[in-house]
Amino acid sequence: MCKDCGCSIVEHSHSHDHSGDHHHEGSHEHQSAHAHLYDNPQLNDPKTISVITKILDKNDQEAGHNREHFNSHGVLCINLMSSPGSGKTALLEALVDVGEFKFAVIEGDLETSRDADRLKAKGIEAHQIQTGSACHLDAFMVHKALHHMDLDSVDVCFIENVGNLVCPASYDVGSHLNVVLVSIPEGEDKIAKYPVMFRQADLILFTKTDLLPYFEYDMQKEKEMARALKPSVDILEVSIKDEESIKKVASWIKFKMGMR
Ligand SMILES: Nc1nc2c(ncn2[C@@H]2O[C@H](COP(=O)(O)OP(=O)(O)OP(=O)(O)O)[C@@H](O)[C@H]2O)c(=O)[nH]1
Ligand SMILES: [Zn+2]
Ligand SMILES: [Zn+2]
Ligand SMILES: [Zn+2]
């Protein structure tokens, strides 16, 4: 558990408002989060609860401000979340090749600038955030990056979150949409084990489908599990070796761009 980020807070709400204004004071999400905190013997000190609640409320305000940045430039912001190595950076590299829209990327990793360097090598504007010990991006980290970016020159800004299926789900970073990746080699149980993350998803991408012949993976069962958690979720299958599958992701994004 991450001591300073409040990642033990589990939101039980089945939906999350990404529409702009966030009124989180006393919201249902936070009340249920508080209830959950009191159940946690490691975090049952009222002072600790009060500090974590304040961190999340401040984060939500900053996330709203980040969304104003994106809205004022007509940019669609997409938060990419997954376990480490599920293929977030590889997807971005493949998306630039299909060339359907212009995008920039805010990269979050504990250490190194490797992901941003990979993207810059493909001509993508990328800004690396090194979080040090933090296992997620928060709205303040993203805001710092925003003031170094030229949002006028892009249609979409991706935020590649730190590889982690747990606490990134608790931090609104100011995105409009959440895309959650889950790769075939990770095994069949990820959606059931990390429901908080998958409930936040607007789109779930099953990645590395070219590896399906080598793994026992019941795709239909996993899709049913995803829809049981969130009936409205969109789902696509992706392999970076199949350009048509990348084009489908690009089309989904273009469709969403058209509504902003
Ligand atoms: N076979 C196959 N390999 C893939 C695919 N997508 C990504 N990979 C490989 O999986 C590895 C991890 O991919 P990344 O894109 O770095 O994963 P990531 O989610 O960005 O990882 P972190 O930033 O560390 O969380 C790389 O070696 C990729 O080449 C795919 O569709 N098929
Ligand atoms: Zn954390
Ligand atoms: Zn990456
Ligand atoms: Zn600002």
Side-chain angles (χ1 to χ4, degrees), residues 62 65-66 68-69 143-144 146-147:
E62 189 76 351
H65 176 71
N66 290 351
E68 283 167 17
H69 272 275
H143 184 247
K144 260 193 197 161
L146 277 179
H147 280 267

Side-chain angles (χ1 to χ4, degrees), residues 20-35:
D21 286 354
H22 272 204
H23 303 288
H24 276 262
E25 292 247 332
S27 68
H28 165 68
E29 285 93 340
H30 280 202
Q31 278 165 16
S32 56
H34 298 172

Side-chain angles (χ1 to χ4, degrees), residues 156-173:
V156 176
C157 180
F158 291 98
I159 297 173
E160 183 184 332
N161 221 307
V162 179
N164 176 354
L165 277 178
V166 187
C167 41
S170 299
Y171 282 81
D172 186 355
V173 285

Side-chain angles (χ1 to χ4, degrees), residues 2 4 25 37 43 53 59 65 69-70 73 92 98 110 138 144 149 157 167 179 208 218 222-223 239 253 259:
C2 176
D4 55 6
E25 292 247 332
L37 272 176
L43 277 171
T53 304
N59 183 74
H65 176 71
H69 272 275
F70 294 120
H73 293 273
L92 294 169
V98 303
L110 272 71
D138 67 28
K144 260 193 197 161
M149 301 182 80
C157 180
C167 41
V179 174
K208 310 193 189 182
D218 188 339
E222 290 309 289
K223 286 182 179 173
S239 163
I253 293 169
M259 287 185 283

